[in-house]
Amino acid sequence: MNGNTLVLRALHRGENRLAGQLITVAQRHRTEHEVFHVATDLARWSREHVGLLAEAAKDQGTDLDELPHEADRAPDPSEGSGGFDPSEGPKGSDGGVLATVREKAAEIMGRRPEPGLLLLRDLRDLHLAATENSLYWEMLAQAAQAGRDDALLALVSSCHPQTLRQLRWSNTMIKNLSPQILTSL
């Protein structure tokens, strides 16, 4: 096992984790429409990165799962459950009881200060996770340049800008929301 393999494994795990965190934040703060929609889109990027990292690892002689680990991520709301989910209710219904309760609780909690603090904490956690991934992308880029590995360099050139965008989004949201949330306590 070489250094590239170690970084690929760490980055694969980190992108899996970030995808799960983004979906969890989207679900938890679904009443904040920008958070819900943007976090869901950003999670899609991380999921794509997972597949691309698995392909790159295969070229390096390492086997990583091409799909995000189910245990490491929350379900993507755009995917559907693919099976029975009690929160969806019976087939043909508009939604289950649990889904309705979650939505109403999110609406009610959206009007209290605690969800704002929770959102700031969640955004901070997303920012830290994206920062970790960005550092791994940087390490992989340096190793690819040193080893003259054009395929790895192309992977980094394709994925790292999206990770940087995830960072900028979380940072911007923290900057925009902090004054309102923290001064309203």
Side-chain angles (χ1 to χ4, degrees):
M1 181 180 301
N2 64 26
N4 287 353
T5 303
L6 293 173
V7 175
L8 285 168
R9 282 184 188 279
L11 194 46
H12 184 267
R13 193 172 32 255
E15 288 288 357
N16 255 320
R17 193 174 308 119
L18 181 57
Q21 287 176 306
L22 283 160
I23 293 301
T24 298
V25 168
Q27 293 290 335
R28 185 178 293 148
H29 303 286
R30 68 182 322 120
T31 58
E32 294 286 337
H33 296 289
E34 180 180 356
V35 171
F36 177 76
H37 292 290
V38 175
T40 301
D41 289 341
L42 296 178
R44 208 167 285 122
W45 285 352
S46 285
R47 287 185 177 151
E48 289 170 7
H49 296 174
V50 168
L52 294 170
L53 287 162
E55 289 174 24
K58 196 175 291 182
D59 293 342
Q60 302 276 327
T62 301
D63 187 31
L64 298 175
D65 292 332
E66 290 188 29
L67 300 174
H69 294 258
E70 294 302 317
D72 291 344
R73 71 175 181 93
D76 184 335
S78 67
E79 289 179 349
S81 68
F84 176 72
D85 181 353
S87 66
E88 291 181 0
K91 297 289 182 204
S93 72
D94 291 338
V97 174
L98 292 176
T100 304
V101 169
R102 268 197 300 266
E103 281 182 34
K104 294 301 177 189
E107 288 173 15
I108 292 168
M109 292 300 289
R111 299 184 189 114
R112 301 186 58 195
E114 295 85 1
L117 292 174
L118 178 60
L119 177 56
L120 284 179
R121 188 198 71 196
D122 285 344
L123 289 168
R124 176 190 145 278
D125 291 345
L126 289 174
H127 190 76
L128 292 173
T131 299
E132 182 179 23
N133 288 347
S134 179
L135 291 171
Y136 282 126
W137 283 119
E138 207 52 64
M139 286 187 263
L140 195 59
Q142 294 303 313
Q145 280 181 332
R148 301 188 197 292
D149 188 333
D150 292 335
L152 269 184
L153 203 50
L155 173 67
V156 172
S157 296
S158 164
C159 296
H160 192 212
Q162 292 177 327
T163 300
L164 293 173
R165 177 66 185 101
Q166 291 169 324
L167 270 170
R168 284 192 302 274
W169 175 76
S170 61
N171 191 46
T172 299
M173 291 300 293
I174 290 168
K175 286 179 179 179
N176 290 341
L177 295 173
S178 291
Q180 180 183 0
I181 291 169
L182 296 175
T183 58
S184 69
L185 295 176

